[in-house]
Amino acid sequence: MPGSTWGHALRLTTFGESHGVALGGIIDGFPAGVTLDLNWVQQQMARRRPGQAWTTPRQEQDQVEVLSGVFEGQTTGTPIALLIRNADQRSQDYAALKDQLRPGHADRSYLKKYGIRDHRGGGRASARETVIRVAAGALAQQYLVEQLGIQIQAGVTQIGSIQAAKCDFSQVSQNPFGFVDAHAIPSITALFEELIAAGDSVGAAICVEATGVPAGLGEPVFDKLDALLAHAWMSINAVKAVAVGDGWDVVSQRGHQHRDALGTAGFLSNHAGGVLGGISTGQTIVGHLAFKPTSSIQLPIDTLDQQGQMTRLQVTGRHDPCVALRALPIVEAMTALTLMDQVLQQRAQNPKAWEQACDAS
Amino acid sequence: MPGSTWGHALRLTTFGESHGVALGGIIDGFPAGVTLDLNWVQQQMARRRPGQAWTTPRQEQDQVEVLSGVFEGQTTGTPIALLIRNADQRSQDYAALKDQLRPGHADRSYLKKYGIRDHRGGGRASARETVIRVAAGALAQQYLVEQLGIQIQAGVTQIGSIQAAKCDFSQVSQNPFGFVDAHAIPSITALFEELIAAGDSVGAAICVEATGVPAGLGEPVFDKLDALLAHAWMSINAVKAVAVGDGWDVVSQRGHQHRDALGTAGFLSNHAGGVLGGISTGQTIVGHLAFKPTSSIQLPIDTLDQQGQMTRLQVTGRHDPCVALRALPIVEAMTALTLMDQVLQQRAQNPKAWEQACDAS
Amino acid sequence: MPGSTWGHALRLTTFGESHGVALGGIIDGFPAGVTLDLNWVQQQMARRRPGQAWTTPRQEQDQVEVLSGVFEGQTTGTPIALLIRNADQRSQDYAALKDQLRPGHADRSYLKKYGIRDHRGGGRASARETVIRVAAGALAQQYLVEQLGIQIQAGVTQIGSIQAAKCDFSQVSQNPFGFVDAHAIPSITALFEELIAAGDSVGAAICVEATGVPAGLGEPVFDKLDALLAHAWMSINAVKAVAVGDGWDVVSQRGHQHRDALGTAGFLSNHAGGVLGGISTGQTIVGHLAFKPTSSIQLPIDTLDQQGQMTRLQVTGRHDPCVALRALPIVEAMTALTLMDQVLQQRAQNPKAWEQACDAS
Amino acid sequence: MPGSTWGHALRLTTFGESHGVALGGIIDGFPAGVTLDLNWVQQQMARRRPGQAWTTPRQEQDQVEVLSGVFEGQTTGTPIALLIRNADQRSQDYAALKDQLRPGHADRSYLKKYGIRDHRGGGRASARETVIRVAAGALAQQYLVEQLGIQIQAGVTQIGSIQAAKCDFSQVSQNPFGFVDAHAIPSITALFEELIAAGDSVGAAICVEATGVPAGLGEPVFDKLDALLAHAWMSINAVKAVAVGDGWDVVSQRGHQHRDALGTAGFLSNHAGGVLGGISTGQTIVGHLAFKPTSSIQLPIDTLDQQGQMTRLQVTGRHDPCVALRALPIVEAMTALTLMDQVLQQRAQNPKAWEQACDAS
């Protein structure tokens, strides 16, 4: 099965390349009769868009056109098609790269997979591909909030060696880095100035939380809720590690430290991150993602051309010093699409238990 | 879609509970005409089996019966069914737990999901469920080795705060901890003695490598090879974090440190872990998994019973001080099933490019 | 995706060959908390079993063993595994056929597909494979009857040129042919005596009806309810044509004859067969299936051996003069599995509309 | 799993309503490096288009825009998105129908399924939805012809009670009815004049053949090749019956008449229609489809409005006297998409046997 589809009961299938005519997607299985706010979709799109402070100046309008599945503002239950035309293709920027395989990018592995490559850009491997995930995810987020009270928010918790001392999601929209701790902003600003001067980039970490998730989502074996989220998160460009709850720290924990005790008012802690045995517990779901530093930086590097000859790559185009900054709405979108898919599946199999879990949450 | 199936072109569907009649699975899509060595399958089973040093003394024969799909030693292309009877159910051990919801386990989330629970044990959430993954994975491993020369090996790289100084997979079978660094064995032994005395447990990290993987496996968007592996690995019991290549370290890296330069003899480093843009590069695939400490330990903990009343849980049964130790063949199995599935899919879509990639590797 | 799985929200995956160790299957996604009557399953099995009047004398106990997913008589929501051991393999009957490719059978196409063949029998292509469909379908039938009041029944409506004058399902269990019209029994009996004397066989038609199906099942495009049923029915051995409602007769109808008018008490006729635009209307679903005559008859026929040399095939083993007779529970089973799958899917996407449709039916 | 997707290894997902903004689809899994002739796609579109003799005068340009997956005339292996804007929506024609539920249409079952309905037309249930199937199918047909020499052609074999005396596919493009027998054209013309005068419609039958199909396509159990084709064909609007080979005639055949003998030069007949045991035999695949008469005719009929009150429906808009005429390219498209999907799947599992079968065909 080719890999451009996400989900089972709610399915998003996407298409489009960074330098092609358009990007788009089809959402199949979305419940009928849901009123959608397309302005909010556009706001999520804006958070992902390049052209903001500290990100690449590439200008994309990213105007989402809804081609089907919505009638007089309400979903009809039929596939919702979303279309975004590429307004600013500037493939001349990439003409110089025509024969060069950029290290850290998918150029070479693409060529090996398909035997052919659209050299004008990253194609499907470009972060631009995620534009449609954000649009589709925004519809899922609206469903989750309005029907179930599930809220999803992501924030940057570490950039390079600068870690947040606390995780305050209300700060995310207050600074250009989407960072969760206001005290770190001056040092991050200094770091970015240094990176731009050096033509370099840096990695970052993102934390995502989903509150109000009823118990019972996820399956006990292959499709554990955290396994599905790991799949969703790792499918985001530049992500190299994902975790739930205490994440990597569990390696050095003792059993009596990790397990969460149960009281009559619920769990006394949340080391598990809201998932036990692959099934949501009713607690907040907590995830973590590690993003690698942008590979296309101005510092030159050795590579090969398509003919296999040595060459030296010197990128001059527009790129981000830290790709993670624009990833916040993507992380939220993939989380929402995954949760909503599981909501529909749980409702299919266990409608009564699901209703009870919703009442309890 | 219910979640007891793994893969698309190669599909494993499993069934069975820890304290039920049997566990088993069906592998559909396995190529015809492949000679299988069932003794080797049994050897992989033995590595996972409880009853070894430092693991729970529960005795399971875990004899795999092949019910279909193999004729005169060769696969026929039809579904291969595997069956393992539960020889040692001892559900009396669990009678005391009938009404208690064990913290750190799926007991409560199961009950919330299904509204019903087989209280004799963890059901599908038990690590015993993985027995059939190991058997099925062993068939996939044989295919990968014999047809393509792909080798998969996993080893324990950290237990609690004891980290391996080097990663030598030849050590894995030489010590009871599956540890990759012989120098750490005395301190690990001391740690285990301390844990057993204290009735406590500890987390651990596992590294897995796949060598000889041709370029071109994986899809550029949702089904990136590393995203599929993240899904596979996170679906293993007790795993709370997964990573590829440099993993979590990328957060503090600079761009010029992370990206792997290309020379005429191939890549000069492997920070990416063998995957770029979701597609295998031809380098060794490197993954990391973090396992939480066993939750069922002898130290008592507060919890609720099925009626929602406070109770105190005191486990007396047989359990592992470190669940990761038995997970090595499970990690190898899930890695093999994922890679083989992608091999079949790449052959379906791009047979010529695949042939070239195999010739080059 | 290999083809041993049926359904999406409710999934049946089967394994096993006619002359292998066992046949079996896994049902994933079955709702939890449903009380199952395994005796009734066994009764459905008995209707399909050879060894009855006018069918092959092969004796199979067909005792279904439930290996998982049921605890204290109730489903647990986890996969239900079913196992049937092959008690009477008698592969010596087939030794003579080792090198012969039986005309009208899958022997040659199997060999071409897989490059290898278990010559002891039809393998997966044997009608014996359907034994597990009947068992799984019986569970789905129980769910449909008890939860929704949906009843499914099939009957033979034509054998050779003998057509039923009326369709009375209460007759089906009253005669050895499962025929819906008692008046035809003497002539059918005479036909069968003639066929057995001649070593020949005959085709037949089956009608299946599902009553009490609420409106709203099925999808408007590829997964139209009638398209899914067509798939399900055509997947039954020996079926060469399938139809809904007026079926093939629509070719010569005029528009004013076919379309069903609507009155305040509902539709005034049911030419559509209970499905419009791929979605159930709330009327009785009516389907028709045409079965070819048994190919393995005592009359000899030219064929090739596995080496491609001419040979003459003379079957001496036990076979049915009319395979359709044993197909009634199989048709019911595939119909039930398809409807139940759609029930779960409709509940996932449109729970309120579904509830209203159930109340109205 | 919602039902707007066809296929597994090759997947077509569609969207769009008859009176919405646009229709479109995404083809995922199409092999890379295939040169496509988009003019030929447009020709297939033209065959389906209304506005021809004897079909509805609705004018649609049906210009297919390729949004992705093709670079410099060649497929890139990434999703191919197709878009067709609705140029001529004329929803005023349907304003009168706003509250009426058209008998013979999906209006009422849609409303029951989703609880909401776009009253401007048939929505997804409109035959207009098939426009994108034709475009996608045309790409599959090109692949099958060029890579494997598989040719697919459909023709009308019966209209009302007028049956073709012979099946000559070269006649299909020579008359406005797509009929396979030139001698019947005068009587069909007379029939159509009568139908138009009477405001009535008529049913029809279509035969489809695929030549050059190698042996080995299809799966032995649920995904038999003929079962997949039955699903594909029954998913076409207005189809009420489908068959392979001798089809419904098998009911009255004897075993010695039906089975196809094998000689050294191959099969001596093709009663099976190119499929045995669900797997292609290497012979021509032969299918039959029965189309019901158009329901929206000028003859009035009783029905209900959306409030459940009796009303009388008098259609005045533009509609076809025989919907089957425009269905020929749709039947070819669905056949091509199904065969190509199976080609990719067979290549995934059994590459050597497939190569041998291709060499032999």
Side-chain angles (χ1 to χ4, degrees), chain C residues 112-137:
Chain C
K112 298 276 184 188
K113 180 176 187 68
Y114 299 114
I116 184 178
R117 189 173 76 87
D118 174 351
H119 59 260
R120 291 171 302 171
R124 295 287 281 163
S126 164
R128 176 138 184 80
E129 174 273 330
T130 59
V131 75
I132 208 73
R133 305 199 202 186
V134 173

Side-chain angles (χ1 to χ4, degrees), chain A residues 101-105 240 292 295 301-303, chain B residues 246 255-263 266-276 281 283:
Chain A
L101 302 172
R102 293 169 299 166
H105 280 268
K240 301 299 285 183
K292 71 176 184 182
S295 296
I301 187 170
D302 286 339
T303 189
Chain B
D246 285 358
H256 75 273
Q257 294 171 309
H258 181 79
R259 60 186 183 171
D260 302 303
L262 261 172
F267 288 100
L268 306 184
S269 55
N270 188 13
H271 296 287
V275 185
L276 278 174
T281 62
Q283 290 184 284

Side-chain angles (χ1 to χ4, degrees), chain D residues 13-32:
Chain D
T13 303
T14 71
F15 70 86
E17 289 92 31
S18 60
H19 290 73
V21 178
L23 296 107
I26 303 174
I27 309 168
D28 202 9
F30 205 97

Side-chain angles (χ1 to χ4, degrees), chain B residues 4 11 17 28 65 78, chain C residues 4 11 17 28 65 78 85:
Chain B
S4 299
R11 296 171 70 79
E17 289 92 31
D28 202 8
E65 187 182 6
T78 56
Chain C
S4 298
R11 298 170 69 79
E17 289 91 33
D28 202 9
E65 187 183 5
T78 56
R85 297 261 168 195

Side-chain angles (χ1 to χ4, degrees), chain A residues 1-2 4 8-9 11 13 15 17 26 28 32 65 68-69 71 74 76 78-79 81 85 114 116 118 120 124, chain D residues 1-2 4 8-9 11 13 15 17 26 28 32 65 68-69 71 74 76 78-79 81 85 114 116 118 120 124:
Chain A
M1 205 181 74
S4 299
H8 298 285
R11 297 170 70 78
T13 304
F15 70 85
E17 289 93 31
I26 303 173
D28 203 8
E65 188 182 6
S68 66
F71 180 59
Q74 277 194 309
T76 60
T78 56
R85 297 259 170 197
Y114 298 114
I116 183 177
D118 174 351
R120 293 172 302 171
R124 296 286 280 165
Chain D
M1 202 181 78
S4 298
H8 298 284
R11 298 171 70 79
T13 303
F15 70 86
E17 289 92 31
I26 303 174
D28 202 9
E65 188 183 4
S68 66
F71 179 60
Q74 277 194 309
T76 60
T78 57
R85 297 260 168 196
Y114 299 113
I116 184 177
D118 174 351
R120 293 172 302 171
R124 295 288 282 166

